[in-house]
Amino acid sequence: MSVTGTQIYLTEEQRRRIDQAAAVEGVTMGELIRRAVDDYLGDEADASSALASTFGADVAAVAPARDGWRRG
């Protein structure tokens, strides 16, 4: 895999959490960040996967009743 160097600035809390997650997974901080970037970017051409991943996310959502609908 070809990589390029990139500098980012993290808060102390972000750095602490990334270091901890990397240690738990047994990977480098860079690998963990590359995975996160890949997850974030995803496959923009496939909107259905984004919709599917958010289905039911709003537990307060209420579907309107169909009683008043007219078929025509």
Side-chain angles (χ1 to χ4, degrees):
M1 163 181 48
S2 175
V3 296
T4 181
T6 302
Q7 184 175 9
I8 62 169
Y9 293 92
L10 304 171
T11 65
E12 289 181 18
E13 176 66 8
Q14 289 170 325
R15 178 60 192 253
R16 183 190 66 75
R17 292 176 65 191
I18 287 174
D19 287 342
Q20 183 179 29
V24 167
E25 291 193 35
V27 298
T28 65
M29 178 181 66
E31 175 62 21
L32 195 68
I33 291 172
R34 283 189 293 276
R35 289 179 187 176
V37 170
D38 285 342
D39 287 346
Y40 176 78
L41 295 176
D43 183 3
E44 293 177 11
D46 185 10
S48 63
S49 64
L51 291 173
S53 70
T54 60
F55 181 78
D58 185 358
V59 295
V62 178
R66 293 179 154 186
D67 301 329
W69 291 13
R70 291 181 6 186
R71 295 184 181 225

